[in-house]
Amino acid sequence: MGFIVSFVWSFMLWLMLTAGTKGMLWSPEEIVAGIIFSTIVAYSTRNIIGEKTTRFLNPIRLLELVVYSIGPLFWGMVKANFDVAYRVITGKIRPGIVRVPVELENDAQYTILSNSITLTPGTLTIDACPEEKALYVHWIYVREEKPKSSEPVSGSFEKWARRLGR
Amino acid sequence: MKKLIPLIVILLTIFGLAHYIAPKLPPQTELRPLGEFYLKNSYFGEYSAKSPEVVTSILWDYRGVDTFFETSVFFLAIIGSLTVFRLNKKEERLAKQKPKEFTGGLTLVVKSVTKIIVVMILAVSASIALHGHLTPGGGFQGGSALAVAPLLIIAAYSKYALEEHGLDKTRALILRSIGLLGIALVALVPLLTGGFIMQNQPIFPAEIKGQLVSGSLIYYNLFEFLAVGGGFTAVFLLLAIPEKVFKEILGVGE
């Protein structure tokens, strides 16, 4: 299974990199070369890409990912950008590291949530601890020192992470 | 404050020099004859290398022997580091053994991102190398990008993870040797048909089924890709052996 996922993933990337070799499309030689190299790449990374990888190929999941990144994530980043700009100009900062309890199940969900938090300016995930079901987040302006959920730190991201990584 | 004064002096000197000297330098308005030759000949022209990418045609065709020696310097550098870190078979097995207290790696966020990124790095590096005769890039760049993938795994997981999945020093060296052998063969093939060493046109076909492959350039890029990627990976694997373990194996104390 890892082989197929890895193959599709690298072949898609290859198509993206070589688009436009024949008009706007791909010349057949380019596609043949892509298949050969994707096979080699897939063979060498088939064990690395990990279990439960079929979710990469689920089109609904990919669509959800796109919706998430242009919707809530982008909006969260815009808001956070203005917030950080305000704090940079006025100097009103109260930095600190908080422990954020989260309700997530697998590594993918932790990764998505941590990366979303890191991507928004002002917050930065320092560590993810699945064994204590918590993230450690550096926050530029600590509003709550002991948040009960991830809501004050990251808004709706946790809900989306649970949905995307299941 | 004391640290600031030298900084200010240095900055003032640089800006002053830039302000006074830069306008006095004659601006380069026309191509130098050599550059003009390369630009005009690399794809069209009489001495064509059949490649629209001028840098690659200089690298592997017009100044091919230079690059050949550069590759052998790289080869010697890798051989040198392998010799410094040489181990016999039994010692190598010891070096591959995971220490008992090893828990391993960075946080799970980095680990799960690495899984996805590694595939992308490999695909991108192959693309850089294989299109070296058409777009910026080439064998060395592609090979360096290739070596980032094992480096990332070493950093995020451990060198043991890499070896458990079958990429150990020996295999990396085999990859590198295939690359070097390929470069040498491609360089020598023109001799068989009465050409010169490292000659490109007209011995190698410039197009295969209408697809521009620029004669020997694509083969050089491909083999250099393997040689550089394999060589770097082997060195990274050697450097990833913990110093403590290494000294224990060699039996040298502090």
Side-chain angles (χ1 to χ4, degrees):
Chain A
M1 210 58 226
F3 179 83
I4 298 169
V5 174
S6 184
F7 177 83
V8 172
W9 181 227
S10 75
F11 189 60
M12 264 161 49
L13 193 69
W14 183 278
L15 290 184
M16 245 162 68
L17 288 169
T18 60
T21 43
K22 188 187 179 192
M24 279 306 287
L25 294 171
W26 299 272
S27 60
E29 291 82 4
E30 201 68 77
I31 288 177
V32 170
I35 288 172
I36 294 170
F37 273 89
S38 302
T39 313
I40 297 170
V41 170
Y43 181 75
S44 50
T45 57
R46 69 194 185 285
N47 294 326
I48 291 169
I49 199 160
E51 314 85 38
K52 283 189 74 181
T53 41
T54 39
R55 68 165 89 92
F56 281 118
L57 303 183
N58 186 341
I60 300 167
R61 204 63 57 78
L62 288 176
L63 198 72
E64 279 176 353
L65 188 66
V66 173
V67 170
Y68 169 61
S69 42
I70 59 177
L73 181 63
F74 187 73
W75 178 236
M77 278 165 67
V78 170
K79 273 195 301 189
N81 262 305
F82 281 113
D83 186 59
V84 170
Y86 168 76
R87 300 204 180 287
V88 167
I89 293 166
T90 57
K92 279 183 193 161
I93 57 167
R94 194 168 161 235
I97 297 170
V98 290
R99 180 180 178 278
V100 182
V102 287
E103 285 288 322
L104 302 174
E105 281 139 31
N106 56 29
D107 289 7
Q109 293 173 339
Y110 275 101
T111 306
I112 293 170
L113 181 58
S114 311
N115 280 346
S116 305
I117 289 175
T118 305
L119 210 56
T120 47
T123 47
L124 176 76
T125 312
I126 292 166
D127 202 356
C129 299
E131 55 269 18
E132 37 178 309
K133 288 204 168 253
L135 299 178
Y136 287 88
V137 176
H138 181 271
W139 209 356
I140 196 171
Y141 190 84
V142 179
R143 290 197 185 83
E144 286 179 45
E145 280 177 19
K146 283 183 181 148
K148 295 273 182 299
S149 70
S150 74
E151 217 274 319
V153 182
S154 60
S156 64
F157 290 173
E158 189 183 341
K159 221 169 58 199
W160 279 94
R162 219 176 293 142
R163 189 192 176 94
L164 288 170
R166 65 177 185 262
Chain B
M1 200 59 216
K2 260 187 182 170
K3 281 180 187 164
L4 270 180
I5 292 169
L7 188 73
I8 291 168
V9 171
I10 291 171
L11 276 178
L12 278 180
T13 322
I14 291 173
F15 281 123
L17 283 177
H19 188 257
Y20 281 108
I21 291 182
K24 285 177 189 151
L25 293 174
Q28 186 78 33
T29 50
E30 51 196 42
L31 283 174
R32 296 201 177 86
L34 193 62
E36 202 179 345
F37 172 83
Y38 287 143
L39 285 178
K40 282 192 174 152
N41 280 280
S42 93
Y43 188 56
F44 305 103
E46 212 171 317
Y47 300 98
S48 169
K50 288 286 177 215
S51 164
E53 167 65 17
V54 182
V55 177
T56 308
S57 12
I58 295 172
L59 214 65
W60 283 116
D61 191 340
Y62 299 122
R63 290 284 169 273
V65 183
D66 268 10
T67 315
F68 195 72
F69 280 107
E70 231 169 73
T71 305
S72 44
V73 168
F74 180 71
F75 161 78
L76 286 175
I78 299 279
I79 284 287
S81 56
L82 290 179
T83 322
V84 172
F85 286 102
R86 74 184 180 282
L87 297 170
N88 62 28
K89 272 199 177 141
K90 199 177 139 212
E91 288 166 345
E92 233 165 60
R93 224 174 299 129
L94 276 176
K96 273 187 199 175
Q97 226 157 45
K98 218 187 234 182
K100 280 208 179 69
E101 71 271 24
F102 186 79
T103 49
L106 301 177
T107 62
L108 80 123
V109 178
V110 182
K111 280 183 180 172
S112 31
V113 172
T114 302
K115 280 179 191 169
I116 305 168
I117 297 289
V118 161
V119 181
M120 291 172 75
I121 292 175
L122 292 179
V124 168
S125 68
S127 165
I128 294 174
L130 211 67
H131 298 98
H133 58 291
L134 301 173
T135 51
F140 199 90
Q141 292 86 333
S144 316
L146 175 70
V148 172
L151 188 62
L152 192 62
I153 295 177
I154 288 173
Y157 291 79
S158 69
K159 103 189 212 341
Y160 307 108
L162 212 56
E163 280 163 351
E164 274 161 19
H165 286 305
L167 181 67
D168 56 0
K169 198 191 77 190
T170 323
R171 296 229 174 126
L173 285 181
I174 289 172
L175 214 63
R176 187 199 67 133
S177 306
I178 292 173
L180 288 171
L181 203 66
I183 291 175
L185 283 180
V186 177
L188 291 178
V189 158
L191 286 181
L192 297 177
T193 46
F196 307 103
I197 278 192
M198 293 202 79
Q199 192 176 351
N200 177 2
Q201 297 296 330
I203 288 158
F204 292 94
E207 290 184 356
I208 293 178
K209 288 188 182 166
Q211 187 74 17
L212 185 71
V213 296
S214 305
S216 59
L217 299 187
I218 190 170
Y219 309 116
Y220 283 129
N221 273 335
L222 192 62
F223 287 125
E224 176 87 358
F225 169 62
L226 289 180
V228 172
F232 273 138
T233 307
V235 170
F236 289 154
L237 277 171
L238 275 178
L239 293 181
I241 301 175
E243 193 183 350
K244 211 174 104 199
V245 175
F246 198 76
K247 283 195 169 157
E248 251 172 43
I249 292 168
L250 291 188
V252 281
E254 289 294 313

